[in-house]
């Protein structure tokens, strides 16, 4: 019985250790570019203003629970991809709370943004007020790429 307990504990610790290694490796954005169909998304991220922010910071969510859930979803996606059951249509959702954890809402309320190539002036105040909340309007509606 002691031998079984020792072996079980050994495999549990090994699995725990390998999980930590996987979590750390998968935190690196280069990990995402390993799948050939992720390459355009990775290249887009590299050339974006968010290229110093690891993918998981936005795609998993703001809490530790979101982080762990994201890692299990990632593992599931890797397994489906390896088995050939992966859908190449990527529909990722980034929660507004994630965007607003770095981009403070107050910074946008009075700020006028100029689109120089079109000469259009834009203000977020109409998109960040309480009246639009019931329309289910999200940051990602406009800022998807």
């Amino acid at each position: 019985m002691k031998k079984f307990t020792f072996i079980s504990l050994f495999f549990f610790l090994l699995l725990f250790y390998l999980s930590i290694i996987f979590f750390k490796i998968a935190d690196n954005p280069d990990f995402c570019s390993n799948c050939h169909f992720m390459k355009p998304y990775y290249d887009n991220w590299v050339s974006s203003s968010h290229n110093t922010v690891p993918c998981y910071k936005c795609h998993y969510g703001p809490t530790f629970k979101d982080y762990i859930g994201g890692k299990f979803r990632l593992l599931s996606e890797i397994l489906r991809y390896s088995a050939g059951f992966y859908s190449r249509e990527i529909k990722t959702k980034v929660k507004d709370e994630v965007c607003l954890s770095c981009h403070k809402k107050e910074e946008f309320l009075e700020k006028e943004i100029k689109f120089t190539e079109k000469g259009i002036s834009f203000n977020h105040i109409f998109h960040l007020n309480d009246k639009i909340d019931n329309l289910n309007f999200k940051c990602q509606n406009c800022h998807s790429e």
Side-chain angles (χ1 to χ4, degrees), residues 90-140:
I90 298 173
K91 294 182 180 181
T92 187
K93 293 180 184 167
V94 178
K95 297 176 184 176
D96 281 359
E97 302 87 58
V98 174
C99 299
L100 296 172
S101 68
C102 294
H103 303 282
K104 302 299 177 213
K105 191 175 185 177
E106 297 76 32
E107 294 173 11
F108 295 105
L109 290 178
E110 301 299 324
K111 190 175 183 181
E112 197 78 17
I113 299 169
K114 300 282 185 190
F115 293 97
T116 55
E117 72 183 45
K118 300 279 187 189
I120 298 170
S121 190
F122 180 81
N123 189 311
H124 281 89
I125 196 165
F126 302 109
H127 297 85
L128 295 173
N129 64 30
D130 295 335
K131 293 177 186 172
I132 204 163
D133 284 344
N134 62 349
L135 298 177
N136 202 24
F137 198 80
K138 305 290 181 206
C139 300
Q140 198 173 8

Side-chain angles (χ1 to χ4, degrees), residues 28-53:
N28 186 333
D30 292 335
F31 180 83
C32 300
S33 69
N34 286 321
C35 295
H36 66 92
F37 65 89
M38 286 297 293
K39 185 90 171 93
Y41 300 100
Y42 175 80
D43 291 344
N44 186 40
W45 169 80
V46 167
S47 65
S48 77
S49 61
H50 290 95
N51 63 9
T52 59
V53 182

